[in-house]
Short mmCIF file of all heavy atoms in Angstrom, two decimals:
data_model
loop_
_atom_site.label_atom_id
_atom_site.label_comp_id
_atom_site.label_asym_id
_atom_site.label_seq_id
_atom_site.Cartn_x
_atom_site.Cartn_y
_atom_site.Cartn_z
N MET A 40 22.43 -12.48 5.50
CA MET A 40 21.17 -11.78 5.30
C MET A 40 20.20 -12.71 4.68
O MET A 40 20.45 -13.46 3.75
CB MET A 40 21.46 -10.61 4.30
CG MET A 40 20.22 -9.85 3.92
SD MET A 40 20.59 -8.51 2.84
CE MET A 40 20.13 -7.11 3.89
N LYS A 41 18.98 -12.70 5.20
CA LYS A 41 17.96 -13.63 4.71
C LYS A 41 16.76 -12.80 4.16
O LYS A 41 16.39 -11.75 4.67
CB LYS A 41 17.42 -14.54 5.83
CG LYS A 41 18.47 -15.59 6.20
CD LYS A 41 17.85 -16.57 7.23
CE LYS A 41 18.87 -17.62 7.57
NZ LYS A 41 18.30 -18.53 8.60
N CYS A 42 16.14 -13.39 3.15
CA CYS A 42 14.97 -12.79 2.53
C CYS A 42 13.86 -12.84 3.59
O CYS A 42 13.52 -13.81 4.15
CB CYS A 42 14.57 -13.55 1.33
SG CYS A 42 12.95 -13.04 0.64
N PRO A 43 13.29 -11.61 3.87
CA PRO A 43 12.24 -11.49 4.87
C PRO A 43 10.95 -12.18 4.48
O PRO A 43 10.08 -12.44 5.28
CB PRO A 43 12.02 -9.98 5.05
CG PRO A 43 12.53 -9.37 3.79
CD PRO A 43 13.57 -10.32 3.28
N HIS A 44 10.83 -12.52 3.18
CA HIS A 44 9.61 -13.18 2.74
C HIS A 44 9.71 -14.65 2.83
O HIS A 44 8.86 -15.30 3.39
CB HIS A 44 9.31 -12.74 1.27
CG HIS A 44 8.07 -13.40 0.75
ND1 HIS A 44 6.80 -13.10 1.28
CD2 HIS A 44 7.89 -14.32 -0.21
CE1 HIS A 44 5.93 -13.84 0.61
NE2 HIS A 44 6.53 -14.64 -0.23
N CYS A 45 10.77 -15.21 2.21
CA CYS A 45 10.85 -16.69 2.15
C CYS A 45 11.96 -17.29 3.04
O CYS A 45 12.04 -18.44 3.28
CB CYS A 45 11.04 -17.18 0.73
SG CYS A 45 12.66 -16.73 0.01
N GLY A 46 12.81 -16.36 3.58
CA GLY A 46 13.84 -16.81 4.50
C GLY A 46 15.05 -17.39 3.77
O GLY A 46 15.97 -17.90 4.45
N LYS A 47 15.10 -17.27 2.49
CA LYS A 47 16.22 -17.78 1.75
C LYS A 47 17.44 -16.89 1.96
O LYS A 47 17.36 -15.69 2.05
CB LYS A 47 15.88 -17.77 0.21
CG LYS A 47 16.99 -18.35 -0.66
CD LYS A 47 16.45 -18.33 -2.13
CE LYS A 47 17.58 -18.79 -3.04
NZ LYS A 47 17.13 -18.74 -4.45
N GLU A 48 18.54 -17.57 2.16
CA GLU A 48 19.80 -16.83 2.40
C GLU A 48 20.27 -16.07 1.16
O GLU A 48 20.25 -16.58 0.08
CB GLU A 48 20.90 -17.83 2.79
CG GLU A 48 22.13 -17.11 3.39
CD GLU A 48 21.90 -16.56 4.78
OE1 GLU A 48 21.21 -17.25 5.57
OE2 GLU A 48 22.42 -15.53 5.07
N ILE A 49 20.56 -14.81 1.36
CA ILE A 49 21.03 -13.97 0.22
C ILE A 49 22.50 -13.77 0.40
O ILE A 49 22.96 -13.14 1.34
CB ILE A 49 20.31 -12.59 0.25
CG1 ILE A 49 18.74 -12.82 0.13
CG2 ILE A 49 20.78 -11.76 -0.94
CD1 ILE A 49 18.02 -11.54 0.39
N GLU A 50 23.27 -14.33 -0.51
CA GLU A 50 24.72 -14.25 -0.36
C GLU A 50 25.28 -13.09 -1.15
O GLU A 50 26.32 -12.55 -0.87
CB GLU A 50 25.31 -15.58 -0.86
CG GLU A 50 24.95 -16.72 0.06
CD GLU A 50 25.58 -17.99 -0.45
OE1 GLU A 50 26.43 -17.97 -1.36
OE2 GLU A 50 25.21 -19.03 0.06
N ASP A 51 24.57 -12.70 -2.21
CA ASP A 51 25.05 -11.67 -3.11
C ASP A 51 24.74 -10.31 -2.49
O ASP A 51 23.65 -9.89 -2.39
CB ASP A 51 24.46 -11.76 -4.49
CG ASP A 51 25.05 -10.82 -5.47
OD1 ASP A 51 25.91 -10.01 -5.06
OD2 ASP A 51 24.68 -10.89 -6.66
N SER A 52 25.83 -9.61 -2.08
CA SER A 52 25.62 -8.29 -1.46
C SER A 52 25.20 -7.23 -2.48
O SER A 52 24.78 -6.21 -2.14
CB SER A 52 26.91 -7.85 -0.74
OG SER A 52 27.92 -7.79 -1.70
N LYS A 53 25.33 -7.62 -3.74
CA LYS A 53 24.92 -6.68 -4.80
C LYS A 53 23.51 -6.97 -5.30
O LYS A 53 23.12 -6.48 -6.29
CB LYS A 53 25.92 -6.73 -5.97
CG LYS A 53 27.28 -6.15 -5.59
CD LYS A 53 28.25 -6.36 -6.66
CE LYS A 53 29.64 -5.90 -6.27
NZ LYS A 53 30.65 -6.23 -7.26
N GLN A 54 22.89 -7.85 -4.58
CA GLN A 54 21.51 -8.27 -4.93
C GLN A 54 20.62 -7.01 -5.07
O GLN A 54 20.45 -6.22 -4.17
CB GLN A 54 20.96 -9.15 -3.77
CG GLN A 54 19.46 -9.31 -3.83
CD GLN A 54 18.97 -10.01 -5.05
OE1 GLN A 54 18.42 -9.43 -5.93
NE2 GLN A 54 19.17 -11.34 -5.09
N PRO A 55 20.11 -6.82 -6.29
CA PRO A 55 19.31 -5.58 -6.55
C PRO A 55 17.99 -5.56 -5.81
O PRO A 55 17.34 -4.56 -5.71
CB PRO A 55 19.11 -5.63 -8.07
CG PRO A 55 19.24 -7.07 -8.45
CD PRO A 55 20.21 -7.67 -7.48
N TYR A 56 17.52 -6.73 -5.34
CA TYR A 56 16.23 -6.80 -4.73
C TYR A 56 16.32 -6.88 -3.23
O TYR A 56 15.37 -7.18 -2.56
CB TYR A 56 15.45 -7.98 -5.30
CG TYR A 56 15.36 -8.01 -6.76
CD1 TYR A 56 15.95 -9.07 -7.45
CD2 TYR A 56 14.72 -7.01 -7.46
CE1 TYR A 56 15.87 -9.09 -8.86
CE2 TYR A 56 14.64 -7.04 -8.84
CZ TYR A 56 15.24 -8.10 -9.54
OH TYR A 56 15.20 -8.08 -10.90
N ARG A 57 17.52 -6.55 -2.72
CA ARG A 57 17.66 -6.57 -1.30
C ARG A 57 16.59 -5.74 -0.59
O ARG A 57 16.20 -4.69 -1.13
CB ARG A 57 19.04 -6.04 -0.89
CG ARG A 57 20.17 -7.00 -1.18
CD ARG A 57 21.50 -6.30 -0.95
NE ARG A 57 21.68 -6.01 0.49
CZ ARG A 57 22.69 -5.32 0.97
NH1 ARG A 57 23.61 -4.78 0.19
NH2 ARG A 57 22.79 -5.13 2.25
N PRO A 58 16.12 -6.11 0.54
CA PRO A 58 16.57 -7.30 1.33
C PRO A 58 15.89 -8.57 0.86
O PRO A 58 15.99 -9.57 1.59
CB PRO A 58 16.14 -6.95 2.76
CG PRO A 58 14.89 -6.12 2.55
CD PRO A 58 15.09 -5.37 1.28
N PHE A 59 15.27 -8.55 -0.24
CA PHE A 59 14.57 -9.74 -0.75
C PHE A 59 15.50 -10.49 -1.68
O PHE A 59 16.47 -9.94 -2.24
CB PHE A 59 13.30 -9.38 -1.48
CG PHE A 59 12.35 -8.57 -0.60
CD1 PHE A 59 12.33 -7.24 -0.64
CD2 PHE A 59 11.53 -9.24 0.27
CE1 PHE A 59 11.45 -6.48 0.13
CE2 PHE A 59 10.70 -8.51 1.11
CZ PHE A 59 10.65 -7.16 1.02
N CYS A 60 15.20 -11.81 -1.80
CA CYS A 60 16.08 -12.66 -2.62
C CYS A 60 15.77 -12.48 -4.11
O CYS A 60 16.63 -12.82 -4.94
CB CYS A 60 15.94 -14.12 -2.22
SG CYS A 60 14.35 -14.82 -2.72
N SER A 61 14.63 -11.97 -4.43
CA SER A 61 14.24 -11.87 -5.84
C SER A 61 13.17 -10.81 -5.99
O SER A 61 12.57 -10.36 -5.00
CB SER A 61 13.69 -13.23 -6.34
OG SER A 61 12.48 -13.53 -5.69
N ASP A 62 12.98 -10.48 -7.23
CA ASP A 62 11.92 -9.42 -7.56
C ASP A 62 10.59 -9.94 -7.12
O ASP A 62 9.71 -9.26 -6.64
CB ASP A 62 11.94 -9.20 -9.06
CG ASP A 62 11.07 -8.05 -9.42
OD1 ASP A 62 10.95 -7.16 -8.59
OD2 ASP A 62 10.51 -8.03 -10.52
N ARG A 63 10.37 -11.30 -7.26
CA ARG A 63 9.13 -11.92 -6.93
C ARG A 63 8.81 -11.75 -5.43
O ARG A 63 7.69 -11.31 -5.08
CB ARG A 63 9.18 -13.36 -7.32
CG ARG A 63 7.85 -14.08 -7.11
CD ARG A 63 7.93 -15.45 -7.82
NE ARG A 63 6.84 -16.30 -7.34
CZ ARG A 63 6.98 -17.16 -6.30
NH1 ARG A 63 8.10 -17.27 -5.68
NH2 ARG A 63 5.97 -17.90 -5.91
N CYS A 64 9.77 -12.06 -4.62
CA CYS A 64 9.60 -11.90 -3.17
C CYS A 64 9.33 -10.47 -2.75
O CYS A 64 8.52 -10.16 -1.90
CB CYS A 64 10.82 -12.45 -2.40
SG CYS A 64 10.78 -14.25 -2.21
N LYS A 65 10.03 -9.59 -3.46
CA LYS A 65 9.86 -8.21 -3.17
C LYS A 65 8.40 -7.74 -3.44
O LYS A 65 7.75 -7.06 -2.65
CB LYS A 65 10.85 -7.39 -4.03
CG LYS A 65 10.75 -5.87 -3.75
CD LYS A 65 11.78 -5.16 -4.71
CE LYS A 65 11.66 -3.68 -4.56
NZ LYS A 65 12.54 -2.99 -5.51
N LEU A 66 7.94 -8.12 -4.62
CA LEU A 66 6.56 -7.74 -5.04
C LEU A 66 5.54 -8.39 -4.14
O LEU A 66 4.53 -7.80 -3.76
CB LEU A 66 6.35 -8.16 -6.50
CG LEU A 66 7.15 -7.31 -7.50
CD1 LEU A 66 6.90 -7.85 -8.90
CD2 LEU A 66 6.73 -5.85 -7.39
N ILE A 67 5.76 -9.67 -3.81
CA ILE A 67 4.82 -10.38 -2.99
C ILE A 67 4.71 -9.74 -1.61
O ILE A 67 3.64 -9.44 -1.07
CB ILE A 67 5.21 -11.86 -2.82
CG1 ILE A 67 4.98 -12.56 -4.16
CG2 ILE A 67 4.41 -12.53 -1.69
CD1 ILE A 67 5.53 -14.00 -4.15
N ASP A 68 5.91 -9.42 -1.05
CA ASP A 68 5.86 -8.82 0.26
C ASP A 68 5.25 -7.45 0.18
O ASP A 68 4.53 -7.03 1.09
CB ASP A 68 7.39 -8.70 0.76
CG ASP A 68 7.34 -8.65 2.28
OD1 ASP A 68 7.13 -9.71 2.88
OD2 ASP A 68 7.57 -7.57 2.84
N LEU A 69 5.55 -6.71 -0.85
CA LEU A 69 4.99 -5.35 -0.99
C LEU A 69 3.48 -5.45 -1.11
O LEU A 69 2.72 -4.73 -0.47
CB LEU A 69 5.55 -4.70 -2.23
CG LEU A 69 5.35 -3.23 -2.34
CD1 LEU A 69 6.17 -2.45 -1.26
CD2 LEU A 69 5.73 -2.72 -3.74
N GLY A 70 2.99 -6.39 -1.94
CA GLY A 70 1.59 -6.61 -2.14
C GLY A 70 0.91 -7.05 -0.83
O GLY A 70 -0.22 -6.64 -0.57
N LYS A 71 1.66 -7.82 -0.03
CA LYS A 71 1.06 -8.27 1.24
C LYS A 71 0.85 -7.07 2.09
O LYS A 71 -0.16 -6.94 2.81
CB LYS A 71 2.04 -9.25 1.88
CG LYS A 71 1.43 -9.98 3.10
CD LYS A 71 2.49 -10.87 3.72
CE LYS A 71 3.50 -10.03 4.43
NZ LYS A 71 4.56 -10.89 5.12
N TRP A 72 1.83 -6.24 2.13
CA TRP A 72 1.75 -5.01 2.95
C TRP A 72 0.52 -4.14 2.59
O TRP A 72 -0.24 -3.73 3.39
CB TRP A 72 3.00 -4.17 2.80
CG TRP A 72 4.03 -4.32 3.90
CD1 TRP A 72 4.93 -5.21 3.99
CD2 TRP A 72 4.01 -3.57 5.08
NE1 TRP A 72 5.70 -5.08 5.14
CE2 TRP A 72 5.09 -4.06 5.82
CE3 TRP A 72 3.25 -2.51 5.62
CZ2 TRP A 72 5.45 -3.53 7.09
CZ3 TRP A 72 3.60 -2.01 6.81
CH2 TRP A 72 4.68 -2.51 7.53
N ILE A 73 0.42 -3.99 1.26
CA ILE A 73 -0.72 -3.12 0.78
C ILE A 73 -2.05 -3.79 1.09
O ILE A 73 -2.97 -3.15 1.57
CB ILE A 73 -0.53 -2.94 -0.77
CG1 ILE A 73 0.69 -2.09 -0.99
CG2 ILE A 73 -1.81 -2.26 -1.34
CD1 ILE A 73 1.07 -1.98 -2.52
N SER A 74 -2.15 -5.09 0.84
CA SER A 74 -3.39 -5.76 1.06
C SER A 74 -3.77 -5.76 2.58
O SER A 74 -4.95 -5.58 2.94
CB SER A 74 -3.39 -7.19 0.55
OG SER A 74 -2.42 -7.96 1.20
N GLU A 75 -2.79 -5.88 3.44
CA GLU A 75 -3.05 -5.88 4.86
C GLU A 75 -3.50 -4.48 5.23
O GLU A 75 -4.29 -4.29 6.14
CB GLU A 75 -1.78 -6.26 5.60
CG GLU A 75 -1.62 -7.75 5.62
CD GLU A 75 -0.40 -8.13 6.43
OE1 GLU A 75 0.26 -7.25 6.99
OE2 GLU A 75 -0.14 -9.33 6.60
N ASP A 76 -2.90 -3.47 4.57
CA ASP A 76 -3.30 -2.11 4.90
C ASP A 76 -4.76 -1.85 4.55
O ASP A 76 -5.48 -1.22 5.29
CB ASP A 76 -2.39 -1.19 4.12
CG ASP A 76 -2.38 0.22 4.70
OD1 ASP A 76 -2.44 0.35 5.92
OD2 ASP A 76 -2.38 1.19 3.94
N TYR A 77 -5.16 -2.34 3.41
CA TYR A 77 -6.52 -2.10 2.98
C TYR A 77 -7.47 -2.99 3.77
O TYR A 77 -8.69 -2.68 3.83
CB TYR A 77 -6.63 -2.47 1.45
CG TYR A 77 -6.18 -1.34 0.56
CD1 TYR A 77 -5.19 -1.51 -0.31
CD2 TYR A 77 -6.87 -0.10 0.66
CE1 TYR A 77 -4.70 -0.46 -1.11
CE2 TYR A 77 -6.42 0.95 -0.14
CZ TYR A 77 -5.38 0.75 -1.05
OH TYR A 77 -4.97 1.75 -1.80
N ARG A 78 -6.93 -4.11 4.28
CA ARG A 78 -7.82 -5.01 5.02
C ARG A 78 -8.29 -4.52 6.30
O ARG A 78 -9.29 -4.91 6.86
CB ARG A 78 -7.10 -6.33 5.10
CG ARG A 78 -8.02 -7.56 5.35
CD ARG A 78 -7.22 -8.79 5.48
NE ARG A 78 -6.35 -8.70 6.68
CZ ARG A 78 -5.30 -9.53 6.90
NH1 ARG A 78 -4.96 -10.37 5.97
NH2 ARG A 78 -4.56 -9.39 7.95
N VAL A 79 -7.55 -3.55 6.86
CA VAL A 79 -7.86 -3.05 8.16
C VAL A 79 -9.25 -2.39 8.07
O VAL A 79 -9.46 -1.45 7.32
CB VAL A 79 -6.83 -1.97 8.62
CG1 VAL A 79 -7.27 -1.34 9.91
CG2 VAL A 79 -5.48 -2.64 8.77
N PRO A 80 -10.19 -2.90 8.84
CA PRO A 80 -11.51 -2.32 8.82
C PRO A 80 -11.60 -0.94 9.44
O PRO A 80 -10.97 -0.67 10.41
CB PRO A 80 -12.35 -3.37 9.64
CG PRO A 80 -11.34 -3.94 10.60
CD PRO A 80 -10.05 -3.96 9.83
N ALA A 81 -12.41 -0.14 8.83
CA ALA A 81 -12.59 1.21 9.37
C ALA A 81 -13.28 1.14 10.69
O ALA A 81 -14.30 0.42 10.78
CB ALA A 81 -13.39 2.08 8.37
N PRO A 82 -12.75 1.71 11.67
CA PRO A 82 -13.38 1.71 13.00
C PRO A 82 -14.77 2.37 12.99
O PRO A 82 -14.89 3.51 12.57
CB PRO A 82 -12.45 2.44 13.89
CG PRO A 82 -11.62 3.31 12.99
CD PRO A 82 -11.57 2.57 11.69
N GLU A 83 -15.79 1.62 13.35
CA GLU A 83 -17.11 2.16 13.37
C GLU A 83 -17.48 2.70 14.73
O GLU A 83 -17.69 1.95 15.64
CB GLU A 83 -18.14 1.12 12.92
CG GLU A 83 -18.00 0.72 11.49
CD GLU A 83 -19.08 -0.21 11.06
OE1 GLU A 83 -20.21 -0.12 11.57
OE2 GLU A 83 -18.76 -1.10 10.25
N THR A 84 -17.49 3.95 14.86
CA THR A 84 -17.78 4.54 16.11
C THR A 84 -19.22 5.04 16.05
O THR A 84 -19.68 5.52 15.01
CB THR A 84 -16.86 5.71 16.43
OG1 THR A 84 -16.91 6.68 15.43
CG2 THR A 84 -15.37 5.24 16.56
N GLU A 85 -19.89 5.00 17.15
CA GLU A 85 -21.30 5.38 17.23
C GLU A 85 -21.44 6.91 16.95
O GLU A 85 -22.48 7.35 16.48
CB GLU A 85 -21.88 5.00 18.55
CG GLU A 85 -21.98 3.50 18.72
CD GLU A 85 -22.62 3.14 20.05
OE1 GLU A 85 -23.13 4.07 20.71
OE2 GLU A 85 -22.56 1.98 20.45
N ASN A 86 -20.40 7.60 17.27
CA ASN A 86 -20.46 9.06 17.09
C ASN A 86 -20.56 9.43 15.58
O ASN A 86 -21.11 10.44 15.23
CB ASN A 86 -19.18 9.71 17.62
CG ASN A 86 -19.22 9.69 19.16
OD1 ASN A 86 -20.28 9.56 19.71
ND2 ASN A 86 -18.08 9.84 19.77
N ASN A 87 -20.12 8.51 14.74
CA ASN A 87 -20.14 8.80 13.29
C ASN A 87 -21.56 8.74 12.70
O ASN A 87 -21.82 9.15 11.66
CB ASN A 87 -19.20 7.87 12.56
CG ASN A 87 -17.79 8.34 12.71
OD1 ASN A 87 -17.49 9.39 13.24
ND2 ASN A 87 -16.86 7.53 12.25
N ASP A 88 -22.45 8.08 13.52
CA ASP A 88 -23.80 7.94 13.05
C ASP A 88 -24.59 9.23 13.20
O ASP A 88 -25.60 9.45 12.57
CB ASP A 88 -24.54 6.84 13.84
CG ASP A 88 -24.02 5.47 13.47
OD1 ASP A 88 -23.47 5.34 12.34
OD2 ASP A 88 -24.11 4.54 14.29
N GLN A 89 -24.10 10.12 13.98
CA GLN A 89 -24.81 11.34 14.25
C GLN A 89 -24.28 12.44 13.32
O GLN A 89 -23.09 12.51 13.10
CB GLN A 89 -24.55 11.81 15.73
CG GLN A 89 -25.02 10.75 16.74
CD GLN A 89 -24.59 11.13 18.13
OE1 GLN A 89 -23.91 12.12 18.33
NE2 GLN A 89 -25.01 10.31 19.10
N ARG A 90 -25.16 13.28 12.91
CA ARG A 90 -24.75 14.46 12.14
C ARG A 90 -24.08 15.45 13.04
O ARG A 90 -24.64 15.74 14.16
CB ARG A 90 -26.01 15.10 11.48
CG ARG A 90 -26.60 14.24 10.35
CD ARG A 90 -25.81 14.47 9.10
NE ARG A 90 -26.31 13.59 8.03
CZ ARG A 90 -25.76 13.61 6.82
NH1 ARG A 90 -24.72 14.33 6.61
NH2 ARG A 90 -26.26 12.84 5.86
N ASN A 91 -22.98 15.90 12.66
CA ASN A 91 -22.33 16.89 13.44
C ASN A 91 -22.95 18.23 13.28
O ASN A 91 -22.96 18.82 12.21
CB ASN A 91 -20.80 16.92 13.03
CG ASN A 91 -19.99 17.78 13.98
OD1 ASN A 91 -20.57 18.45 14.86
ND2 ASN A 91 -18.69 17.79 13.85
N PRO A 92 -23.55 18.79 14.35
CA PRO A 92 -24.23 20.11 14.28
C PRO A 92 -23.24 21.23 13.96
O PRO A 92 -23.63 22.22 13.32
CB PRO A 92 -24.85 20.29 15.67
CG PRO A 92 -24.08 19.37 16.56
CD PRO A 92 -23.61 18.24 15.70
N MET A 93 -22.01 21.01 14.36
CA MET A 93 -20.99 22.03 14.08
C MET A 93 -20.40 21.75 12.65
O MET A 93 -19.32 21.31 12.54
CB MET A 93 -19.89 22.00 15.06
CG MET A 93 -20.42 22.15 16.52
SD MET A 93 -20.37 23.82 17.16
CE MET A 93 -18.63 24.03 17.29
N LYS A 94 -21.16 22.00 11.66
CA LYS A 94 -20.75 21.65 10.31
C LYS A 94 -19.58 22.52 9.86
O LYS A 94 -19.61 23.70 10.09
CB LYS A 94 -21.89 21.80 9.38
CG LYS A 94 -21.61 21.15 8.00
CD LYS A 94 -22.84 21.15 7.12
CE LYS A 94 -22.53 20.55 5.77
NZ LYS A 94 -23.70 20.58 4.88
N ASP A 95 -18.66 21.87 9.17
CA ASP A 95 -17.54 22.67 8.62
C ASP A 95 -18.03 23.66 7.66
O ASP A 95 -18.71 23.31 6.66
CB ASP A 95 -16.61 21.65 7.93
CG ASP A 95 -15.31 22.28 7.55
OD1 ASP A 95 -15.27 23.55 7.40
OD2 ASP A 95 -14.29 21.57 7.34
N PRO A 96 -17.76 24.95 7.84
CA PRO A 96 -18.27 26.00 6.97
C PRO A 96 -17.78 25.86 5.50
O PRO A 96 -18.44 26.35 4.62
CB PRO A 96 -17.79 27.30 7.62
CG PRO A 96 -16.68 26.90 8.52
CD PRO A 96 -16.96 25.48 8.91
N GLY A 97 -16.71 25.18 5.30
CA GLY A 97 -16.15 25.04 4.02
C GLY A 97 -16.74 23.87 3.27
O GLY A 97 -16.46 23.68 2.11
N GLU A 98 -17.65 23.18 3.92
CA GLU A 98 -18.17 21.97 3.31
C GLU A 98 -19.46 22.31 2.57
O GLU A 98 -20.37 22.93 3.12
CB GLU A 98 -18.45 20.95 4.42
CG GLU A 98 -18.82 19.57 3.91
CD GLU A 98 -19.00 18.64 5.05
OE1 GLU A 98 -17.92 18.21 5.61
OE2 GLU A 98 -20.15 18.37 5.43
N GLU A 99 -19.59 21.83 1.40
CA GLU A 99 -20.83 22.07 0.65
C GLU A 99 -21.85 20.95 0.91
O GLU A 99 -21.59 19.85 0.50
CB GLU A 99 -20.53 22.17 -0.88
CG GLU A 99 -19.95 23.41 -1.29
CD GLU A 99 -20.99 24.53 -1.17
OE1 GLU A 99 -22.10 24.39 -1.69
OE2 GLU A 99 -20.65 25.61 -0.56
ZN1 ZN B 152 12.67 -14.68 -1.07
#
């Protein structure tokens, strides 16, 4: 088993940070995931520029 972040071989099957080799790799990989998620730009569609005439009745 190898750490998906740094590729280091993990020999200890009781490794608490599996599948990562360490807490650090786990946090880095997790942070990478989150930052990539936030980095995704919101799709700008031209339709969003128009006011929707069918306004949601529950919307103030
Ligand atoms: Zn690692």
Side-chain angles (χ1 to χ4, degrees):
M40 178 179 244
K41 288 184 177 179
C42 172
H44 179 68
C45 68
K47 183 178 175 181
E48 192 74 38
I49 303 168
E50 295 180 8
D51 187 356
S52 61
K53 293 175 184 172
Q54 164 64 257
Y56 306 116
R57 287 173 67 189
F59 302 96
C60 70
S61 67
D62 189 31
R63 186 167 162 268
C64 276
K65 182 182 174 183
L66 289 176
I67 290 173
D68 204 74
L69 194 70
K71 190 184 73 179
W72 260 90
I73 292 171
S74 63
E75 281 183 358
D76 197 38
Y77 278 118
R78 201 179 62 199
V79 175
E83 289 184 34
T84 59
E85 292 180 11
N86 286 341
N87 282 352
D88 289 336
Q89 304 171 355
R90 289 280 179 182
N91 188 351
M93 306 264 291
K94 192 174 180 182
D95 188 338
E98 187 178 286
E99 281 292 311

